[in-house]
């Protein structure tokens, strides 16, 4: 039955339907198909409380606007834009000495959102003295809420990990790399103090299995294919032997035991993204004339040709973020009067921005929108449900003029970085600049990030907050 | 008397005082000094309505965060951040055919904020068919409100001009350039149809004198030093002969006739900015090693040395934006029971970002904060006062990691553009990247911009708006 519903969701969400209509369509699908009475029943009890936190990784206002312009048109509105609450959130980071650092990574920011403390770049669920920070997921689970994590990243990646695990460095995803070694051509120290060989709680993958999270869905299968130091059995097999239902594709997800803990891992690392640039093109450098090669300020340049976005053939039968969200909410709300905490991450808005692929980011913004529609449908049926959407940090992409503001002047104006000129469905040409670095991966940036909330957020969030305040708001909402 | 008050304001605002304290200090200064009973009297009449619109040019979330980090510290709050209403505003632009354009300039956006219609880049108070768009200032004046404009730009520059004038191109600032000619090494077409020689309303400077604006304060003296085609008398002399009080420095501003229309022009072009980088330094390129010069992806680079911000010696006795705001509110509210519309622009947040000078932008963000404090003090004393702060468009500056997120990897990571590493008062190092173009001036960017409002904005603004909605909100507030 749920399979039919998911197909319906996918049909609805494959085109750009305005949020309101999408939510209504989802609602009627749910009602018509009668998926899980627990999911559908409006909870009368005041005891029931739910927090659904959606994180768009790197989803700053440039990316929000990129998504709006492409998916809805410059005069249109995202589902996000229809939410009644909007705020700005300051991202805080410190160095080892506690001094402010003005640009964050996903590990320290997710740790702050999950645990309310400001920490160092790279840290997962630990403070700068390497002490564990208890997370909202852990607190909620201890208070009887059912908890879950959904991500398009590997579930061992920084954002999901920071809600379930505690290690000194985000790279310590599995029992092998936690001991350090060669990584990206450099020596990686790992987190030997956290390793089980040394009496620690183990790698992120090991800690996820041991965590109270009832549902964990995303990528990262390869990290569970390692055995801990004291065993010949892989983590995945150990999970199964502990009664955890394991899914590795849509079929096994939908047929898995609905009452068991659920671990779904749908790709070796991160899930493939939905969209890509035509023929796999990304942002590119301009081509300069001979004079321009002599002096970059002179001569003329040719901009990269415009490109459309197209479906990424690698996406295939990957479950969408909306499908994973629907399954997670279904499992978390079965026979559960207490309520739930669910974190949903659209991870590759950021990853595709690192890779200078605006179409990739846009497709993952669409996925976030669809997951939000599912969350809002759940909230309509369960009144005491706080839905928040935010970003962890700002990112490199910038919408830049097409053509240049200086096109009439006798010197060329063009990016020193890489640019993609995206043909939008409404017939415009949206130029996206990536120029934080010449390195193969773009750098994050430091702007405050947006936060959006449903009506339950009224009085719960303020117009300006810090990420640690967002943690406190969720915590108070759940009465923790 | 007002002179003493202004000195007090300047004393208070020369250091970074938190908004709340600054407002309280301003309020007690006002009360103690008894400046202008009209300004101080709390208006009981329901008839009285005021709208104060502050525009930070280019003041997007990267710039807001730059300002917060420098002026208040990463854990601090700007006065803006204490406001009860915060929203996001989509910036809309069209080309000559009406197709969407994703990055704006200050002319078309100010035209939309002032007149509620989406138009082409470069247009001032005209639509894409070159028809005049009636502005909020004109409507308010016709309805009996007193109106004013304060800017740190030339008052003929795009943002202030769009509230008072109607020409086909922002460059048509005076009676000479309106006929076209050589400009920045290119042939400039001007706006001959708008010229008085051709039966038009004349250049922006001429239209400002003919506009209903009661107070116009800013830069741009040189544009009023031209004579119209049918006269030997300069525009400035003509203004005086029409009974307009003219001020060109702080002394003549403070001694000017308080009951006359007031034109204050305190610099030939834009007003000098308050801060600059140490020794006048701006963002700079990195210096590469020999191997790096052979291939930019290899070798090592040296980042520009960190720099402090310092007072700009050119600022001198230039009236601050807070002083201009205070004088404007004093003049607009004298013997006036109806109310007022005042637009205040901190223009050089944008101009200094074009010039890759983050200290320059930060000083002008501080000026915006101080002007906001004055506006909020006025609103405390006049309950029916809507105070809104927004930006016209996003800009190039980006806060980037310091050091790089990739510093441990064996390839260099550095901007292909220009970077400034600013020493913040709290002891951090904030790196600002400018890399939209190799042209001498940075390009604007396309993110939606923030909007902040006082409690009067509750129910007046929505969490997500377009710039034309902001116009409608102000219009409705004034009952126009």
């Amino acid at each position: 039955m749920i399979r039919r519903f998911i197909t319906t969701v996918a049909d609805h969400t494959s085109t750009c339907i305005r949020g309101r209509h999408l939510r209504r369509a989802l609602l009627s699908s749910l009602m018509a198909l009668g998926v899980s009475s627990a999911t559908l029943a409006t909870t009368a009890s005041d005891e029931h409380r739910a927090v659904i936190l959606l994180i768009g990784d790197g989803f700053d206002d440039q990316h929000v606007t990129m998504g709006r312009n492409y998916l809805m048109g410059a005069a249109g509105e995202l589902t996000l834009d229809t939410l009644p609450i909007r705020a700005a959130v300051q991202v805080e980071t410190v160095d080892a000495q506690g001094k402010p650092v003005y640009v964050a990574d996903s590990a320290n920011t997710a740790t702050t959102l999950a645990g309310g403390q400001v920490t160092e770049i790279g840290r997962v669920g630990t403070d700068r003295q390497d002490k564990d920070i208890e997370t909202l997921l852990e607190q909620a689970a201890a208070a009887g809420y059912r908890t879950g994590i959904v991500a398009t990243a590997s579930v061992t990646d920084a954002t999901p990990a920071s809600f379930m695990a505690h290690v000194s460095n985000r790279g310590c995803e599995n029992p092998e790399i936690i001991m350090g070694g060669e990584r990206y051509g450099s020596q990686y120290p790992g987190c030997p103090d956290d390793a089980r060989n040394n009496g620690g709680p183990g790698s992120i993958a090991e800690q996820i299995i041991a965590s109270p999270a009832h549902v964990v869905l995303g990528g990262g299968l390869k990290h569970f294919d390692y055995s801990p130091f004291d065993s010949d059995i892989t983590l995945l097999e150990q999970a199964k032997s502990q009664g955890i239902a394991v899914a590795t594709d849509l079929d096994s997800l939908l047929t898995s035991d609905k009452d068991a803990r659920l671990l779904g891992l749908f790709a070796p690392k991160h899930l493939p993204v939905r969209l890509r640039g035509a023929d796999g093109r990304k942002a590119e450098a301009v081509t300069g004339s001979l004079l321009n090669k002599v002096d970059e300020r002179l001569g003329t340049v040719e901009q990269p040709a415009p490109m459309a976005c197209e479906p990424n053939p690698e996406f295939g039968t990957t479950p969408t973020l909306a499908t994973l969200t629907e399954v997670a909410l279904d499992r978390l709300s079965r026979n559960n009067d207490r309520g739930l905490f669910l974190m949903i991450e659209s991870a590759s808005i950021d990853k595709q921005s690192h890779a200078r692929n605006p179409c990739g980011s846009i497709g993952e913004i669409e996925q976030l929108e669809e997951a939000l529609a599912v969350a809002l449908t759940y909230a309509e049926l369960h009144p005491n449900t706080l839905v928040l959407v935010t970003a962890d940090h700002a990112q490199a992409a910038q919408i830049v003029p097409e053509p240049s503001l200086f096109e009439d002047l006798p010197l060329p104006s063009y990016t020193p970085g890489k640019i993609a000129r995206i043909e939008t469905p409404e017939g415009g040409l949206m130029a996206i600049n990536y120029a934080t670095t010449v390195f193969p991966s773009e750098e994050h940036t430091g702007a405050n990030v947006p936060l959006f909330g449903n009506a339950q957020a009224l009085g719960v969030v303020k117009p300006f907050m810090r990420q640690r305040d967002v943690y406190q708001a969720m915590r108070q909402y759940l009465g923790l």
Side-chain angles (χ1 to χ4, degrees), chain A residues 67-89:
Chain A
R68 180 185 305 117
N69 290 344
Y70 187 92
L71 300 169
M72 298 301 183
E77 292 186 355
L78 294 167
T79 299
L80 287 168
D81 295 323
T82 67
L83 290 178
I85 303 292
R86 196 169 196 127
V89 180

Side-chain angles (χ1 to χ4, degrees), chain A residues 374-419:
Chain A
V374 173
L376 293 175
T377 300
Y378 181 89
E380 282 181 28
L381 296 165
H382 300 78
N384 293 333
T385 300
L386 174 66
V387 179
L388 296 180
V389 187
T390 192
D392 49 354
H393 56 74
Q395 246 291 15
Q398 294 177 300
I399 308 168
V400 290
E402 169 63 44
S404 163
L405 294 175
F406 312 113
E407 63 160 345
D408 295 335
L409 299 178
L411 290 174
S413 178
Y414 60 92
T415 179
K418 305 280 199 303
I419 193 163

Side-chain angles (χ1 to χ4, degrees), chain A residues 50-53 383-388 454 456-457 460-461 473-474 477:
Chain A
V51 169
I52 305 176
L53 171 66
N384 293 333
T385 300
L386 174 66
V387 179
L388 296 180
N454 69 348
Q456 291 287 303
V460 172
V461 305
M474 295 188 290
Y477 190 85

Side-chain angles (χ1 to χ4, degrees), chain A residues 335-350:
Chain A
N335 308 316
N336 171 10
D337 288 335
R338 179 71 171 117
L340 59 91
F341 170 73
L342 175 62
M343 192 287 289
I344 301 158
E345 187 204 18
S346 184
S348 293
I349 302 170
D350 167 85

Side-chain angles (χ1 to χ4, degrees), chain A residues 50 63 156 280 396 398 432 447 452 454:
Chain A
H63 288 79
T156 56
Q398 294 177 300
I432 310 293
F452 314 81
N454 69 348

Side-chain angles (χ1 to χ4, degrees), chain A residues 126-451:
Chain A
T126 53
D127 70 12
R128 66 187 174 86
Q129 276 90 28
D130 203 30
K131 285 204 287 284
D132 290 0
I133 299 170
E134 195 185 28
T135 75
L136 190 69
L137 184 144
E138 292 161 344
Q139 294 169 38
Y145 292 101
R146 214 173 277 166
T147 62
I149 296 290
V150 170
T152 55
S154 166
V155 298
T156 56
D157 201 30
T159 306
S162 296
F163 287 81
M164 300 180 281
H166 309 271
V167 291
S168 57
N169 194 286
R170 60 184 288 173
C172 299
E173 293 174 83
N174 63 56
E176 187 174 292
I177 190 68
I178 196 172
M179 299 308 292
E182 171 91 4
R183 197 160 162 264
Y184 304 129
S186 278
Q187 200 58 30
Y188 176 66
C191 320
D193 287 353
D194 297 311
R196 283 174 53 195
N197 331 24
N198 297 326
S203 66
I204 292 170
E206 291 163 280
Q207 292 191 48
I208 287 174
I209 293 174
S211 92
H214 186 75
V215 174
V216 178
L217 303 175
L221 189 57
K222 77 163 200 169
H223 295 295
F224 292 82
D225 197 29
Y226 292 89
S227 307
F229 83 106
D230 54 358
S231 169
D232 290 336
I233 305 168
T234 66
L235 295 177
L236 200 68
E237 291 307 317
Q238 292 192 12
K240 286 179 188 167
S241 72
Q242 289 174 30
I244 298 175
V246 170
T248 54
D249 57 26
L250 189 57
D251 273 338
S252 54
L253 175 67
L254 300 177
T255 55
S256 61
D257 179 353
K258 289 187 169 46
D259 295 306
R261 274 186 70 197
L262 174 61
L263 177 63
L265 303 167
F266 307 101
K269 289 186 68 184
H270 312 308
L271 302 190
V273 298
R274 173 183 285 182
L275 292 183
R276 65 173 201 175
D279 305 319
R281 288 176 61 203
K282 298 181 176 182
E284 296 149 343
V286 303
T287 310
S289 65
L290 193 58
L291 179 56
N292 182 259
K293 289 195 201 320
V294 173
D295 188 324
E296 66 165 18
R297 295 164 301 179
L298 305 176
T300 56
V301 300
E302 196 177 333
Q303 297 283 342
M307 68 168 100
C309 295
E310 65 180 26
N312 176 15
E314 290 173 20
F315 190 72
T317 58
T318 307
T320 64
L321 190 60
T323 297
L324 296 179
T325 299
E326 175 58 31
V327 170
L329 285 170
D330 182 56
R331 302 302 165 86
L332 294 179
S333 55
R334 290 175 72 79
N335 308 316
N336 171 10
D337 288 335
R338 179 71 171 117
L340 59 91
F341 170 73
L342 175 62
M343 192 287 289
I344 301 158
E345 187 204 18
S346 184
S348 293
I349 302 170
D350 167 85
K351 295 182 193 306
Q352 295 294 302
S353 203
H354 278 300
R356 305 175 178 121
N357 180 11
C359 290
S361 292
I362 288 167
E364 300 314 290
I365 294 168
E366 189 183 36
Q367 290 230 54
L368 182 73
E369 282 273 291
E370 294 167 10
L372 172 61
V374 173
L376 293 175
T377 300
Y378 181 89
E380 282 181 28
L381 296 165
H382 300 78
N384 293 333
T385 300
L386 174 66
V387 179
L388 296 180
V389 187
T390 192
D392 49 354
H393 56 74
Q395 246 291 15
Q398 294 177 300
I399 308 168
V400 290
E402 169 63 44
S404 163
L405 294 175
F406 312 113
E407 63 160 345
D408 295 335
L409 299 178
L411 290 174
S413 178
Y414 60 92
T415 179
K418 305 280 199 303
I419 193 163
R421 299 160 75 212
I422 306 292
E423 294 164 348
T424 63
E426 64 179 336
L429 203 51
M430 178 166 65
I432 310 293
N433 181 45
Y434 297 91
T436 59
T437 180
V438 302
F439 191 78
S441 173
E442 289 289 317
E443 302 272 10
H444 298 164
T445 65
N448 54 220
V449 293
L451 180 140

